[in-house]
Amino acid sequence: MRAPEHIILSRTDSIGDVMLTLPMAGLLREHWPGVRITFLGRGYTAPILHRCRHVDQVLTLEELAASDPVKSLRAIGADALVHVFPHKQVAQWAARAGIAWRIGTAHRWWHWTTCTHRVAFSRRRSDLHEAQLNLKLLRPFGITELPDMERSATLSGFIPPALDEKLRGYFRTDRKHLVIHPRSKGSAVEWGLDRCTALIGALDPTCWHVFVTGTSAEAEDYRERLPLHLSHVTDTGGQLTLEELMALIAASDALVAASTGPLHIAAACGIRAIGLFAPQRPIHPGRWAPIGKDAHALIAERPPMDGGPQASIHAITVAQVLGALEAGRS
């Protein structure tokens, strides 16, 4: 096929999903160095997209919906749009805009009336990682490569922001810094505040300083239950923009979280990213593990025979997490 000149990648869901879509932009750039890539995402993920060197333009769903969306899509002048995350309205707008190549999964009925190319695959039943599954949507372009996790990490093109003066004051030169992100806004099975408390208590305060992160609503909950009064703990819940959170994570040594956006940010930043997972499908680490040069996915050494995902992730011990924090460090 003729090399496309301008491709829109549409992924209008959460931070972690967007992070695992960035390698798609990198692979497109490898195949066609001159291609222009616009990323359509939600407004709150825009700061991440602006940090990807493979993304030329960021368009938010909110901006598009507030305009004449069909006219706006036509004005972009893209010759292809890939629906990485199916969104019925976006699919209808793209069809009405007359974008020549409109690619989506065959498992959404509205794609049969709005897409020119439909790719058949099942995310739920697949053994592939989410980052690899995204790449299946590039088949109509003739791109069939499914890079492994190590190579996928090199394709993300993510460049985190630097610390500003405010954040530099949070760091100590005589400590390693650990980010604990205890909540997930309901997107993942969580380890539990009692286990986060035990982890904080087990860390040597002469070696480690802990940042606890989360939204304002999450902080209202965890502040009553985590030992935030300890001298080696700083609570940043509700106090950081996403840009600042990215900078804080990038400047830290490690992060511990369930399968959340901050976990995938940490992996892309190259720090030690320790993800806590249950082994059950479709939330297992084979599908959602962080990808990065120092990324790790933990499951319980002795998962319970029954009890489901929550019991499984709760069975991950503090000793396991401590071991992952210290493994291979001088």
Side-chain angles (χ1 to χ4, degrees):
M1 64 167 289
R2 175 182 63 84
E5 297 179 3
H6 191 166
I7 298 174
I8 300 173
L9 298 179
S10 177
R11 181 114 207 192
T12 55
D13 48 352
S14 63
I15 289 173
D17 301 293
V18 167
M19 292 298 303
L20 295 179
T21 304
L22 298 184
M24 177 183 276
L27 191 61
L28 285 169
R29 186 75 73 194
E30 272 196 1
H31 279 260
W32 298 302
V35 70
R36 181 172 177 80
I37 297 174
T38 292
F39 202 114
L40 171 60
R42 291 199 176 268
Y44 79 98
T45 66
I48 287 172
L49 299 171
H50 284 297
R51 305 304 309 181
C52 178
R53 69 174 182 268
H54 303 309
V55 174
D56 299 293
Q57 179 180 354
V58 177
L59 177 65
T60 72
L61 181 62
E62 294 85 350
E63 291 170 341
L64 189 60
S67 68
D68 179 333
V70 174
K71 182 178 180 181
S72 296
L73 286 174
R74 283 179 183 150
I76 288 174
D79 44 12
L81 187 149
V82 182
H83 297 286
V84 190
F85 177 75
H87 189 291
K88 183 178 178 181
Q89 205 166 35
V90 172
Q92 292 170 338
W93 293 336
R96 290 169 56 198
I99 295 174
W101 285 62
R102 304 185 301 278
I103 302 169
T105 173
H107 295 282
R108 289 294 186 274
W109 68 262
W110 63 82
H111 283 172
W112 288 87
T113 61
T114 58
C115 287
T116 60
H117 298 76
R118 291 166 293 277
V119 184
F121 64 96
S122 170
R123 290 183 187 265
R124 181 172 288 271
R125 292 192 296 271
S126 177
D127 291 327
L128 295 175
H129 191 274
E130 181 72 3
Q132 295 172 312
L133 289 166
N134 292 336
L135 297 178
K136 283 181 171 287
L137 290 164
L138 300 183
R139 284 179 187 169
F141 294 129
I143 300 174
T144 58
E145 178 186 0
L146 295 178
D148 61 20
M149 296 303 94
E150 183 176 354
R151 178 155 146 68
S152 293
T154 68
L155 291 170
S156 78
F158 181 72
I159 304 172
L163 291 174
D164 61 17
E165 185 175 351
K166 165 190 167 182
L167 293 179
R168 279 195 294 271
Y170 287 4
F171 286 81
R172 298 184 55 168
T173 58
D174 59 344
R175 300 287 189 276
K176 292 180 288 187
H177 297 85
L178 169 66
V179 177
I180 297 179
H181 192 80
R183 292 304 199 192
S184 68
K185 296 177 67 175
S187 66
V189 181
E190 298 168 359
W191 196 33
L193 295 181
D194 56 341
R195 292 157 184 81
C196 292
T197 295
L199 174 61
I200 292 170
L203 293 168
D204 183 349
T206 67
C207 295
W208 286 96
H209 192 85
V210 176
F211 299 121
V212 180
T213 59
T215 66
S216 296
E218 290 168 339
E220 285 183 13
D221 174 50
Y222 71 60
R223 282 185 182 131
E224 299 297 319
R225 300 170 58 188
L226 293 180
L228 304 177
H229 63 283
L230 296 177
S231 61
H232 67 299
V233 179
T234 298
D235 174 25
T236 69
Q239 301 172 41
L240 303 178
T241 65
L242 181 52
E243 188 85 359
E244 290 171 333
L245 176 63
M246 290 188 287
L248 182 84
I249 290 172
S252 296
D253 297 278
L255 177 143
V256 173
S259 182
T260 64
L263 174 66
H264 295 292
I265 291 171
C269 289
I271 72 167
R272 181 152 296 185
I274 300 172
L276 309 176
F277 288 86
Q280 289 88 349
R281 291 174 179 269
I283 60 174
H284 63 298
R287 169 82 180 276
W288 293 106
I291 55 174
K293 65 181 181 181
D294 200 2
H296 308 268
L298 296 187
I299 60 172
E301 293 174 348
R302 296 180 178 84
M305 297 299 293
D306 52 23
Q310 189 168 58
S312 294
I313 199 168
H314 286 181
I316 299 172
T317 66
V318 170
Q320 275 185 270
V321 178
L322 290 173
L325 281 172
E326 297 295 346
R329 294 192 184 277
S330 58

